Amino acid sequence: MALSDLSRESLLPSFLYSASPFTAASRLASSASSYQAAAGAPAPPASAFGGAARGGKPFSINSPNEKIEMYSPAFYAACTAGGIASCGLTHMAVTPLDLVKCNMQINPEKYKSISSGFGVLLKEQGARGFFRGWVPTLLGYSAQGACKFGFYEFFKKTYSDMAGPENAIKYKTLIYLAGSASAELIADVALCPMEAVKVRVQTQPGFARGLSDGLPKFIKAEGAAGLYKGIVPLWGRQIPYTMMKFASFETIVELIYKHAVPVPKSECSKSFQLGISFAGGYIAGVFCAIVSHPADNLVSFLNNAKGATMGDAVKQIGVLGLFTRGLPLRIVMIGTLTGAQWGIYDAFKVMVGLPTTGGVAPVPAVEEGKAIA
């Protein structure tokens, strides 16, 4: 995915390349170069380290012609921006599927199947009804994506450093799981209010047209605290989902490069790497849908029924229903969604000059000026 310097400069947010003073000893130059090599990205030229290698004078990242330093504030900002594009746009695009899925969970007698569900919605609400709730979907999942991907990269690096060089390699899957769980815990706090309004708008015809009138009505009916009524089942849905999403993706991509691709990742074209990202994301998405589906049914039930409890949901839906109601549609939706999210996220990283995700082990802390791969 090669972009000209001019197109990159016009597309990228300027804050990623704003002046940023940095002071360090000369060993930092070799450390950052090692980070880049370990992650599969070309090391920056020695001149990029400017005064840092010549006595502690500050230097700046001035334009898209220069690479973003791995694990720098600009790196995490880029990952956050990529997460916004990845999650917000993809969730908004599958709003019709989400709408049918939520109604199948809430009213299975009326919405008996995927095809009949679309037919009922088309008959009662028209074609415009398929995108009911798209605004809270876009805003909520954009905020969630920012926290999910940005904090995942941060926690993955932090936990790798805490584990030390040998343990970071040995327990890399545990690091993926812990990093993704920590990130999602924060991300769901940003998502929960918009998710509550979205479900109410989508499953109660006549409640509201969208976010602008739906949010005030929701707060009037249940108070501001009601927006977080579903936070516990949301954590129950999203944290296992995200742990599976990141850990399985990282593992699948690593296995593909190890066993199915005859050349090292660094020698593959960027377009080929993005294809691997989509394929790995789709497979991971299938697992995500299965492990998080019971909690997804609980979230839909609680946000639809005023004053309902999790006990009410289990009693009405049944234990088997929690695992199976709406599952086929959600597998299709989440598989496509997760594959697209990883594709968009890694495409954004490539666009700003960063390597795609996966294929290499976590990079632990640097000791004595040497990076341990």
Side-chain angles (χ1 to χ4, degrees):
M1 181 173 287
L3 294 174
S4 67
D5 293 338
L6 179 61
S7 64
R8 289 179 65 194
E9 191 165 3
S10 64
L11 287 170
L12 302 183
S14 60
F15 71 85
L16 293 180
Y17 297 95
S18 59
S20 176
F22 189 95
T23 302
S26 59
R27 66 175 180 159
L28 182 61
S30 62
S31 299
S33 298
S34 299
Y35 277 167
Q36 294 276 4
S47 59
F49 295 96
R54 296 193 302 268
K57 295 181 181 179
F59 73 94
S60 300
I61 300 175
N62 295 316
S63 73
N65 294 328
E66 301 179 30
K67 301 293 185 182
I68 295 176
E69 181 189 348
M70 293 294 291
Y71 313 114
S72 66
F75 167 79
Y76 294 118
C79 294
T80 299
I84 292 174
S86 169
C87 292
L89 294 177
T90 52
H91 276 277
M92 183 185 71
V94 298
T95 296
L97 288 172
D98 188 41
L99 186 61
V100 173
K101 183 266 300 180
C102 287
N103 280 284
M104 287 177 66
Q105 291 172 329
I106 297 301
N107 192 352
E109 291 78 16
K110 184 177 181 180
Y111 299 87
K112 297 180 180 180
S113 66
I114 297 173
S115 58
S116 66
F118 277 106
V120 171
L121 285 173
L122 182 62
K123 181 179 180 180
E124 293 186 353
Q125 301 181 27
R128 293 181 60 184
F130 287 130
F131 281 91
R132 183 180 296 275
W134 73 269
V135 175
T137 297
L138 175 63
L139 296 180
Y141 282 95
S142 292
Q144 186 218 33
C147 298
K148 184 200 295 275
F149 282 92
F151 279 112
Y152 172 69
E153 299 286 2
F154 171 78
F155 284 121
K156 182 171 70 169
K157 180 65 170 67
T158 299
Y159 295 155
S160 295
D161 291 348
M162 292 171 61
E166 293 184 5
N167 288 333
I169 305 300
K170 184 177 180 180
Y171 300 109
K172 58 188 176 183
T173 300
L174 291 179
I175 289 173
Y176 299 149
L177 292 170
S180 57
S182 300
E184 190 61 40
L185 188 71
I186 299 171
D188 287 344
V189 175
L191 169 64
C192 195
M194 294 296 101
E195 180 75 0
V197 175
K198 175 190 79 74
V199 172
R200 188 67 60 89
V201 169
Q202 290 181 335
T203 59
Q204 291 188 11
F207 171 75
R209 292 172 297 177
L211 178 65
S212 60
D213 57 337
L215 181 59
K217 284 185 178 181
F218 193 105
I219 293 176
K220 183 178 180 180
E222 303 203 25
L227 293 170
Y228 283 93
K229 179 177 68 174
I231 187 64
V232 173
L234 186 63
W235 278 329
R237 180 188 80 183
Q238 290 298 130
I239 291 178
Y241 164 88
T242 301
M243 292 171 70
M244 181 66 73
K245 173 179 180 175
F246 284 90
S248 62
F249 173 82
E250 298 261 18
T251 302
I252 290 167
V253 168
E254 183 177 342
L255 290 174
I256 290 175
Y257 281 115
K258 184 176 181 180
H259 298 290
V261 179
V263 297
K265 176 184 175 181
S266 59
E267 297 180 17
C268 298
S269 67
K270 293 301 182 184
S271 58
F272 182 85
Q273 292 182 34
L274 291 176
I276 296 296
S277 294
F278 178 82
Y282 194 98
I283 296 170
V286 174
F287 296 127
C288 292
I290 295 171
V291 301
S292 63
H293 194 66
D296 184 63
N297 273 307
L298 288 176
V299 171
S300 296
F301 185 90
L302 292 176
N303 285 327
N304 176 70
K306 182 179 179 180
T309 65
M310 284 191 283
D312 297 331
V314 174
K315 183 177 180 180
Q316 182 168 329
I317 299 175
V319 175
L320 181 62
L322 288 175
F323 283 89
T324 60
R325 183 179 292 182
L327 180 60
L329 178 57
R330 191 158 183 266
I331 287 177
V332 174
M333 186 181 81
I334 297 300
T336 305
L337 195 73
T338 307
Q341 284 178 355
W342 278 113
I344 293 173
Y345 178 66
D346 275 349
F348 186 89
K349 290 176 73 175
V350 167
M351 188 173 68
V352 300
L354 292 170
T356 58
T357 309
V360 293
V363 181
V366 176
E367 296 182 359
E368 299 299 329
K370 295 181 180 180
I372 307 298

